[in-house]
Amino acid sequence: KDNEFHLNQLIDLDVKLIVKSDIKVIGKVVDLITENNTLIVIRLNQNNRNVLIPFVKEIVTTIDKKNKYIIIDPPKGLLDL
């Protein structure tokens, strides 16, 4: 399968968010937590805080290993936690 990858390949990828019709880099994947369900740890650029995002296709909508980024579509408020 083309879209197969190891989760550890996500580390260091840029994290992008689509805001209105604009794509912004908001941070970087810095770690993974794989206990019950996988969470990706994102360090936000704006405040250097880490946020946890569930690694599910509804939230992590695009993974582009070649260009080293993921696009997330988090529910409102998830990045503010």
Side-chain angles (χ1 to χ4, degrees):
K1 285 184 205 167
D2 284 345
N3 59 359
E4 254 183 39
F5 64 96
H6 290 285
L7 282 169
N8 59 8
Q9 290 177 284
L10 292 173
I11 291 179
D12 280 339
L13 296 188
D14 282 331
V15 178
K16 297 184 177 187
L17 187 64
I18 299 173
V19 181
K20 299 186 172 82
S21 55
D22 200 22
I23 297 179
K24 294 182 178 171
V25 175
I26 59 157
K28 191 177 276 288
V29 178
V30 292
D31 202 1
L32 299 166
I33 298 170
T34 54
E35 282 159 21
N36 301 334
N37 24 18
T38 301
L39 296 170
I40 54 178
V41 182
I42 296 171
R43 171 144 322 120
L44 296 175
N45 292 339
Q46 68 180 22
N47 55 14
N48 241 5
R49 254 182 348 128
N50 288 353
V51 291
L52 302 178
I53 304 249
F55 184 64
V56 292
K57 64 181 181 298
E58 294 79 17
I59 295 177
V60 181
T61 57
T62 304
I63 298 167
D64 187 332
K65 287 184 301 191
K66 195 172 122 216
N67 295 305
K68 298 190 175 334
Y69 70 84
I70 64 173
I71 294 177
I72 62 170
D73 182 14
K76 197 165 172 47
L78 186 64
L79 296 177
D80 305 329
L81 297 177

